[in-house]
Amino acid sequence: MEALKLAGREKQGPYTVVEIDSPRGPVRIGEGYCTVIAGPCAVENRDEYLLIAQTLQKMGVHILRGGAFKPRTSPYSFLGLGEEGLKILAEARELTGLPVVTEVMDTRDIDLISKYADILQVGSRNMQNFRLLEEVGRSDKPVILKRGLCATIEEWLLAAEYILSSGNQKLILCERGIRTFESYTRNTLDIGAVSAVKKLSHLPIIVDPSHATGRWEMVRPAAKAAIVAGADGLMIEVHPYPERALSDGKQSLTPDNFARLWVEVKKLADVENKHY
Amino acid sequence: MEALKLAGREKQGPYTVVEIDSPRGPVRIGEGYCTVIAGPCAVENRDEYLLIAQTLQKMGVHILRGGAFKPRTSPYSFLGLGEEGLKILAEARELTGLPVVTEVMDTRDIDLISKYADILQVGSRNMQNFRLLEEVGRSDKPVILKRGLCATIEEWLLAAEYILSSGNQKLILCERGIRTFESYTRNTLDIGAVSAVKKLSHLPIIVDPSHATGRWEMVRPAAKAAIVAGADGLMIEVHPYPERALSDGKQSLTPDNFARLWVEVKKLADVENKHY
Amino acid sequence: MEALKLAGREKQGPYTVVEIDSPRGPVRIGEGYCTVIAGPCAVENRDEYLLIAQTLQKMGVHILRGGAFKPRTSPYSFLGLGEEGLKILAEARELTGLPVVTEVMDTRDIDLISKYADILQVGSRNMQNFRLLEEVGRSDKPVILKRGLCATIEEWLLAAEYILSSGNQKLILCERGIRTFESYTRNTLDIGAVSAVKKLSHLPIIVDPSHATGRWEMVRPAAKAAIVAGADGLMIEVHPYPERALSDGKQSLTPDNFARLWVEVKKLADVENKHY
Amino acid sequence: MEALKLAGREKQGPYTVVEIDSPRGPVRIGEGYCTVIAGPCAVENRDEYLLIAQTLQKMGVHILRGGAFKPRTSPYSFLGLGEEGLKILAEARELTGLPVVTEVMDTRDIDLISKYADILQVGSRNMQNFRLLEEVGRSDKPVILKRGLCATIEEWLLAAEYILSSGNQKLILCERGIRTFESYTRNTLDIGAVSAVKKLSHLPIIVDPSHATGRWEMVRPAAKAAIVAGADGLMIEVHPYPERALSDGKQSLTPDNFARLWVEVKKLADVENKHY
């Protein structure tokens, strides 16, 4: 493994806990915490988003998610609401007091997105979009860096190094499944990546079991596995009506199923001494 | 997915619990249990094996493992003690009262191995050795069928179908990691395979975190993840002196590290209502 | 790469050419040759097999193929005609004067198969069935060792080492595609494996473009690529009526399409100075 | 496979030949041609680049390559000379009369790069950088779209669809190897992708055997395989002193080795009736 100047962890060294400002005070992600990010894949319309945001806030979710600029395999798919979606996210933020995270796909969009969002997400497909890494590295917003679909752990940590060396230390890694030969699941959750990152790096790591499995009924066991394997949090897709979601419906939980997951995860977080 | 005549599970249908006879009474593997199989990769010498067997028995391990016929990538590696190893296994069985499992690599060896062992293991490399599947399917010994290195879940369940359709219903599946592009770990634990198998099949499924990770320091978090993801048990390599093991030393736990793992796993088994 | 005692090639060292006895004199596979093995996936019935055998012989095919014992993913698929299939192969051999190759799946079948066939094939699923490798290594029949579905080149050469170190030097390697994430093709032909093996080993290497692609219309370009990349021969599935083949119909060529392939391959063999 | 509105090929429909303007008249890439792009991985210094450019021009290379903005796994590697590199490319263009291709990594750089280069390359890591695809799709420069490291053929063609639907029809696909479990080679050349693309799409497809293999001694057989498998051209790394290249030295050919490759490729192009 290539030397990590900034992302690496010295033997037995301390872990970084990232603080995210929000109307209700700081939200923390890092060792000792079990922080949950939830929401629909994409912001699809105002009323539905505000409703699900309030529901999730009442359930104890810490951070809201929702895509405004969506990277989609086909140019003919729903590509997100753009700035209109960002405004809805900001409204949900006001309403709930929770910070919001959304994806940034282009260096030219960072300023716009930063006006509305609390956390910038770099998606899997852009994990080695090095210019984007440098630019979010110059931002003062916390960044979630998802692992690339076929990125090794080493390449992922070197991508993190791009952000850190550009000046931004508020960085969170997110394991979201890798591509393998198995076709039953959308991706293969690399649960070992969690303990590998905990050994190699001081950075917080969360897990996205929704993309990792691609099947809603597998999200709960995967989320539980992530927490006891050492993850510092979860990013989960929740949609009020998964069957008519414009993207990722098959992997989205209903609020009820999310509630069940959250109850079970909290029991495990207690065993593992993680705050939530 | 191709139709599973015997391995499949009807919606909400019951799960199979396999009973293994032993001097101390039946050991069970299946839904509601957290059964632990432990021992060194290979039986290397009598005194050491008997000692570790007793240590593991005192710690509450349910089944002993140890290879007598070893499948090794190179013909110049240690290939196991053969029948001498089987005799040591049988002696450990007498001494501890625990059932023993060992690998069978050839149809011609089944009778010999069955004289000494309580459970027959079909290894990853032989998951599609269909003649071997048919022959262990005609045996009255319980069988552990490890997933092939690059077998899909469907192919694994169809391999199970070979055994079941040959007459043997005492079958346990074992997820042990799949081959991917990631090279930091020896294999990639497919934690999602556990919940997939629980949905698709009534068969018990256990996890081998030692082979799945290939690194002893990653075995504990992987084992914990397996249990909360729904696995019915674990198969773990424990060696008194991992640094001088003749095979798989890097992934073997010391007895002390195994003890720590077992304490933590039992806490999670309690949360999940699994007997141990 | 682990040291290869018998399979390795010294720098600039000579290549091995394997000779296969046949009624019409020896058939050679190795550097400088372009040897073609063809025939249906499985021997399905006597009349059809004898007819296709004669057709292929007239086209200049060097060796006939046909499975009598078929490894199939599901136990409920057509598993081959067994000894009856072997007898048909032997009859085709008499009729055409061409040597025949068929797969051996179990150590117990080697003697039986050796009574009828000229070459023993070890299939992908059994590449690490080490007992089988040892036993064919004790045979005096030439052996074709197919690469495992997810075997590295190193593992493949070490499997070859099992056969060579058991005494049999008449060994031919066969690249037949590896398993990757790509699902458009059945497997991914690793064309680079040909030149890698030519660098690392003195053993002959042929390519099976039928399994590698899984689509008949892709077999011809893959076969041509194999020859100019350095392969010493081809193994190709040809069936008189692919649409009603009991296995692998989608990847089987009609005799007419095979004829077209063979014309184009011979032109390239001329450029590459390979005998056929 | 999802429907391709613009990239798809109707049954037996015509193929597109892309014309690239250059001081010496148009260079064509597409069915019936064997067009060769060559040059060092990165533009490292003026004198060396101009020298290799002239050497390659004399050998009959059609297009020059050279990176000015380099995507590198680590931020501490050589990242290219930037605009200085572009100027050197333009000088080489003047000197040789050959068109030049260079990589674009960021939407903000397109205008700058378009001032100097004749063809814009979108690299593997950016194959799903959808904003970049849209922007090069609005350019009037021809584009080479490399396949992502773990992109399926379908995803690749849908990425092409982004460019085509944005208005730019001068699009060339480039297969450059995919990521698999095999570690002997840097990547695995998916030679089957060539015939798959030829069936599914009307777009030209070339092959980069340098990245696909990662080993200079394997570049020649891979290049030859590509041409007979149906590729419309090659992109090859040639460096005057591979052992001191700042990137990709191991996979770069010396001019002498390139000359040998080109002689052999031309013989095959003659057999295949491809112009060069």
Side-chain angles (χ1 to χ4, degrees):
Chain A
M1 174 127 352
E2 199 162 330
L4 299 167
K5 295 191 191 176
L6 299 167
R9 179 185 174 223
E10 284 173 66
K11 216 184 166 188
Q12 309 293 340
Y15 288 106
T16 292
V17 174
V18 171
E19 291 206 354
I20 296 137
D21 295 328
S22 88
R24 299 178 158 225
V27 172
R28 292 185 180 85
I29 304 186
E31 187 68 15
Y33 291 85
C34 174
T35 308
V36 174
I37 303 168
C41 178
V43 181
E44 297 174 1
N45 74 62
R46 181 179 170 277
D47 291 353
E48 243 173 61
Y49 193 82
L50 297 183
L51 191 61
I52 191 83
Q54 287 175 293
T55 305
L56 292 170
Q57 182 253 313
K58 281 176 201 146
M59 286 177 177
V61 159
H62 306 97
I63 299 169
L64 295 174
R65 62 153 288 155
F69 297 98
K70 297 297 303 170
R72 302 299 298 279
T73 301
S74 164
Y76 311 120
S77 299
F78 173 64
L79 300 175
L81 297 179
E83 187 167 4
E84 189 193 330
L86 295 175
K87 287 178 179 165
I88 297 169
L89 281 175
E91 200 176 342
R93 183 184 188 277
E94 287 309 301
L95 196 65
T96 62
L98 299 181
V100 297
V101 56
T102 201
E103 180 163 352
V104 53
M105 292 168 61
D106 189 353
T107 50
R108 298 172 303 183
D109 295 339
I110 295 178
D111 287 347
L112 177 72
I113 292 172
S114 297
K115 288 202 297 182
Y116 300 101
D118 301 283
I119 308 173
L120 305 176
Q121 177 179 311
V122 176
S124 286
R125 294 173 180 86
N126 284 307
M127 193 204 84
Q128 292 193 318
N129 180 340
F130 298 118
R131 293 304 189 82
L132 185 62
L133 299 182
E134 286 166 356
E135 284 302 324
V136 299
R138 290 187 195 108
S139 165
D140 59 357
K141 297 279 182 183
V143 173
I144 293 178
L145 177 64
K146 289 197 146 190
R147 181 179 182 183
L149 209 51
C150 65
T152 62
I153 293 168
E154 181 178 18
E155 289 168 340
W156 189 18
L157 292 173
L158 286 167
E161 200 81 17
Y162 267 91
I163 296 173
L164 297 168
S165 66
S166 298
N168 192 342
Q169 309 304 314
K170 290 184 233 153
L171 179 56
I172 299 140
L173 300 171
C174 180
E175 157 68 30
R176 46 76 76 209
I178 56 173
R179 183 164 276 183
T180 69
F181 61 82
E182 178 60 68
S183 58
Y184 183 76
T185 45
R186 181 173 175 184
N187 296 294
T188 297
L189 174 56
D190 182 4
I191 194 76
V194 176
S195 54
V197 164
K198 281 288 177 187
K199 184 184 173 197
L200 297 167
S201 175
H202 61 86
L203 293 169
I205 175 167
I206 64 173
V207 167
D208 171 350
S210 306
H211 282 87
T213 63
R215 289 174 168 262
W216 73 265
E217 74 274 16
M218 293 175 69
V219 171
R220 187 163 42 86
K224 291 166 65 179
I227 292 305
V228 302
D232 303 316
L234 298 166
M235 177 179 274
I236 293 176
E237 292 191 341
V238 184
H239 192 284
Y241 313 103
E243 70 286 358
R244 60 177 168 84
L246 297 180
S247 59
D248 288 353
K250 270 184 63 183
Q251 71 197 35
S252 295
L253 295 181
T254 59
D256 280 359
N257 277 321
F258 174 76
R260 184 178 166 202
L261 173 153
W262 190 214
V263 167
E264 297 192 23
V265 164
K266 283 191 284 191
K267 280 189 206 162
L268 299 173
D270 288 339
V271 174
E272 299 289 320
N273 291 315
K274 290 173 180 284
H275 301 278
Y276 50 85
Chain B
M1 174 126 351
E2 200 162 329
L4 300 167
K5 293 191 191 175
L6 299 166
R9 179 185 174 223
E10 285 173 66
K11 217 186 163 184
Q12 309 292 340
Y15 288 106
T16 292
V17 175
V18 171
E19 291 206 353
I20 296 138
D21 295 328
S22 88
R24 299 176 159 226
V27 172
R28 291 184 181 83
I29 303 186
E31 187 69 15
Y33 292 86
C34 174
T35 308
V36 174
I37 303 167
C41 178
V43 180
E44 296 175 1
N45 75 60
R46 181 180 169 278
D47 291 353
E48 242 174 58
Y49 193 82
L50 296 182
L51 191 61
I52 191 83
Q54 287 175 294
T55 305
L56 292 170
Q57 182 254 312
K58 280 176 203 148
M59 286 178 178
V61 159
H62 306 97
I63 300 170
L64 296 173
R65 61 154 289 154
F69 297 98
K70 296 298 303 172
R72 301 299 298 277
T73 301
S74 164
Y76 311 120
S77 300
F78 173 64
L79 300 176
L81 296 179
E83 187 166 4
E84 190 194 329
L86 295 175
K87 286 177 179 165
I88 296 169
L89 280 175
E91 201 176 341
R93 183 184 189 277
E94 287 309 302
L95 196 64
T96 61
L98 299 182
V100 298
V101 57
T102 200
E103 180 162 353
V104 53
M105 292 167 62
D106 189 352
T107 50
R108 297 172 305 182
D109 295 338
I110 294 178
D111 287 347
L112 177 70
I113 292 172
S114 297
K115 286 202 298 180
Y116 300 101
D118 301 284
I119 308 173
L120 304 175
Q121 177 179 312
V122 176
S124 286
R125 294 173 180 86
N126 284 307
M127 193 203 84
Q128 291 192 319
N129 179 340
F130 298 117
R131 291 305 188 82
L132 185 61
L133 300 181
E134 286 165 356
E135 283 302 323
V136 300
R138 288 184 196 109
S139 165
D140 58 358
K141 299 278 182 183
V143 174
I144 293 177
L145 177 64
K146 289 198 145 189
R147 182 179 182 184
L149 209 52
C150 64
T152 62
I153 294 169
E154 181 178 18
E155 289 168 339
W156 189 19
L157 292 172
L158 286 167
E161 200 81 17
Y162 267 91
I163 296 173
L164 297 168
S165 67
S166 297
N168 192 343
Q169 310 304 312
K170 291 185 232 153
L171 180 55
I172 298 140
L173 300 172
C174 181
E175 158 68 29
R176 44 79 73 211
I178 57 173
R179 182 163 277 184
T180 69
F181 61 81
E182 178 59 67
S183 58
Y184 182 77
T185 44
R186 181 173 177 184
N187 296 295
T188 297
L189 173 56
D190 183 5
I191 194 76
V194 176
S195 54
V197 165
K198 281 288 177 187
K199 184 184 173 197
L200 298 168
S201 176
H202 60 86
L203 293 169
I205 175 167
I206 64 174
V207 167
D208 172 349
S210 306
H211 282 86
T213 62
R215 290 173 168 264
W216 73 265
E217 76 273 16
M218 292 175 70
V219 170
R220 186 164 43 87
K224 292 165 66 179
I227 292 306
V228 302
D232 303 317
L234 299 166
M235 176 178 275
I236 293 175
E237 292 191 341
V238 185
H239 193 283
Y241 313 103
E243 69 287 357
R244 59 178 170 83
L246 297 179
S247 59
D248 288 355
K250 270 184 63 182
Q251 71 196 37
S252 294
L253 295 180
T254 60
D256 279 359
N257 276 320
F258 174 75
R260 182 176 167 204
L261 173 153
W262 191 214
V263 167
E264 297 192 24
V265 163
K266 284 191 285 191
K267 279 189 207 163
L268 299 174
D270 287 340
V271 174
E272 300 289 320
N273 291 315
K274 289 172 180 285
H275 302 277
Y276 50 85
Chain C
M1 173 125 354
E2 199 161 329
L4 299 168
K5 295 190 192 175
L6 299 166
R9 179 186 174 222
E10 284 172 67
K11 215 183 168 190
Q12 309 292 340
Y15 288 107
T16 292
V17 174
V18 172
E19 290 206 354
I20 296 138
D21 295 328
S22 87
R24 298 178 160 225
V27 172
R28 293 184 180 85
I29 304 186
E31 187 69 14
Y33 291 86
C34 173
T35 309
V36 174
I37 303 168
C41 177
V43 180
E44 297 176 1
N45 74 60
R46 181 179 170 278
D47 292 352
E48 244 174 55
Y49 193 82
L50 297 183
L51 192 60
I52 191 84
Q54 287 175 292
T55 305
L56 292 170
Q57 182 253 312
K58 281 175 202 148
M59 287 176 178
V61 159
H62 306 96
I63 300 169
L64 295 173
R65 60 154 290 155
F69 297 98
K70 296 299 303 171
R72 301 300 299 277
T73 302
S74 163
Y76 310 120
S77 300
F78 173 63
L79 300 176
L81 297 179
E83 187 167 4
E84 190 193 330
L86 295 174
K87 287 177 178 165
I88 296 168
L89 281 174
E91 201 174 342
R93 184 185 187 276
E94 287 309 302
L95 197 62
T96 61
L98 300 182
V100 298
V101 56
T102 200
E103 180 163 353
V104 52
M105 293 168 59
D106 189 351
T107 50
R108 299 172 303 182
D109 295 338
I110 294 177
D111 287 346
L112 177 70
I113 292 172
S114 298
K115 287 202 298 180
Y116 300 101
D118 301 283
I119 308 172
L120 305 176
Q121 177 180 311
V122 176
S124 286
R125 296 172 178 87
N126 283 308
M127 193 204 83
Q128 291 192 317
N129 180 342
F130 298 117
R131 291 308 189 81
L132 186 61
L133 299 182
E134 287 165 356
E135 284 301 323
V136 300
R138 289 185 197 109
S139 166
D140 58 358
K141 297 278 183 184
V143 174
I144 293 177
L145 177 64
K146 288 197 146 189
R147 182 179 182 184
L149 209 51
C150 64
T152 62
I153 293 168
E154 181 177 18
E155 290 168 340
W156 189 19
L157 292 173
L158 286 166
E161 199 80 17
Y162 267 91
I163 295 172
L164 297 169
S165 66
S166 298
N168 192 343
Q169 310 304 315
K170 290 184 235 153
L171 179 55
I172 299 140
L173 300 172
C174 180
E175 157 68 29
R176 45 77 73 209
I178 57 173
R179 183 163 277 183
T180 69
F181 61 82
E182 178 59 67
S183 59
Y184 182 77
T185 44
R186 182 173 175 184
N187 296 295
T188 297
L189 173 56
D190 183 4
I191 194 77
V194 176
S195 54
V197 164
K198 281 287 177 187
K199 185 184 173 197
L200 297 168
S201 176
H202 60 86
L203 293 169
I205 176 167
I206 63 173
V207 167
D208 172 350
S210 307
H211 283 87
T213 62
R215 288 174 170 263
W216 73 266
E217 75 272 17
M218 293 176 69
V219 171
R220 187 163 43 86
K224 291 165 65 179
I227 292 306
V228 301
D232 304 316
L234 298 166
M235 177 179 273
I236 293 176
E237 293 191 340
V238 184
H239 193 283
Y241 314 103
E243 69 287 357
R244 60 177 170 80
L246 298 179
S247 58
D248 288 353
K250 269 184 63 184
Q251 71 196 37
S252 295
L253 295 181
T254 60
D256 280 358
N257 277 320
F258 173 76
R260 184 178 166 201
L261 174 152
W262 190 214
V263 167
E264 296 192 22
V265 164
K266 283 191 285 192
K267 281 189 207 162
L268 298 173
D270 288 338
V271 174
E272 300 289 321
N273 291 316
K274 290 172 180 283
H275 301 277
Y276 50 86
Chain D
M1 174 123 354
E2 200 163 328
L4 300 167
K5 294 190 192 174
L6 299 167
R9 179 186 174 222
E10 283 173 66
K11 216 185 166 188
Q12 308 293 339
Y15 289 106
T16 292
V17 174
V18 171
E19 291 206 354
I20 296 137
D21 295 329
S22 87
R24 300 177 158 225
V27 172
R28 293 185 179 83
I29 304 186
E31 188 70 14
Y33 291 86
C34 174
T35 308
V36 174
I37 303 168
C41 178
V43 181
E44 297 175 1
N45 74 61
R46 181 179 169 278
D47 291 353
E48 241 172 62
Y49 193 82
L50 296 184
L51 191 61
I52 191 84
Q54 287 174 294
T55 305
L56 293 170
Q57 182 252 312
K58 281 175 203 150
M59 286 177 179
V61 160
H62 307 95
I63 300 170
L64 296 173
R65 61 154 290 153
F69 297 98
K70 296 300 302 172
R72 300 299 298 277
T73 302
S74 163
Y76 310 120
S77 300
F78 172 64
L79 301 175
L81 297 180
E83 188 167 3
E84 189 193 329
L86 295 175
K87 287 177 179 165
I88 296 169
L89 281 175
E91 201 175 341
R93 183 184 188 278
E94 288 309 302
L95 196 63
T96 61
L98 300 181
V100 297
V101 56
T102 199
E103 180 162 354
V104 53
M105 293 166 61
D106 188 351
T107 51
R108 299 172 304 182
D109 295 339
I110 294 178
D111 287 346
L112 177 70
I113 292 172
S114 297
K115 287 202 299 180
Y116 299 101
D118 301 284
I119 308 173
L120 305 176
Q121 177 179 311
V122 176
S124 286
R125 297 173 178 87
N126 284 308
M127 193 203 82
Q128 291 193 318
N129 180 342
F130 297 118
R131 291 305 188 82
L132 185 62
L133 300 181
E134 287 164 357
E135 284 302 324
V136 300
R138 288 186 197 107
S139 165
D140 58 358
K141 298 277 183 184
V143 174
I144 293 177
L145 176 65
K146 288 198 146 189
R147 183 179 180 183
L149 209 51
C150 63
T152 63
I153 293 168
E154 181 178 18
E155 290 168 340
W156 188 20
L157 292 173
L158 286 166
E161 200 80 16
Y162 267 91
I163 296 172
L164 297 168
S165 66
S166 298
N168 192 343
Q169 311 303 314
K170 290 186 234 151
L171 179 56
I172 299 141
L173 300 172
C174 179
E175 158 68 29
R176 44 78 74 211
I178 56 173
R179 183 163 276 184
T180 69
F181 61 82
E182 178 59 66
S183 59
Y184 182 76
T185 43
R186 181 173 177 185
N187 296 294
T188 297
L189 173 56
D190 182 4
I191 194 75
V194 176
S195 54
V197 164
K198 281 287 177 187
K199 185 184 173 197
L200 298 168
S201 176
H202 61 86
L203 292 168
I205 176 166
I206 63 173
V207 167
D208 172 350
S210 307
H211 282 88
T213 63
R215 290 173 169 264
W216 73 266
E217 76 273 17
M218 293 175 69
V219 171
R220 188 164 42 88
K224 292 165 65 179
I227 291 306
V228 302
D232 303 316
L234 299 166
M235 177 179 273
I236 294 176
E237 292 192 340
V238 185
H239 193 283
Y241 313 104
E243 69 288 357
R244 59 178 169 83
L246 298 180
S247 60
D248 288 354
K250 270 183 64 182
Q251 72 196 34
S252 294
L253 295 181
T254 59
D256 279 359
N257 277 320
F258 174 75
R260 182 177 168 204
L261 173 153
W262 190 213
V263 166
E264 297 191 22
V265 164
K266 283 191 285 192
K267 280 190 207 161
L268 299 173
D270 287 340
V271 174
E272 300 289 320
N273 290 315
K274 290 174 181 283
H275 301 277
Y276 50 85

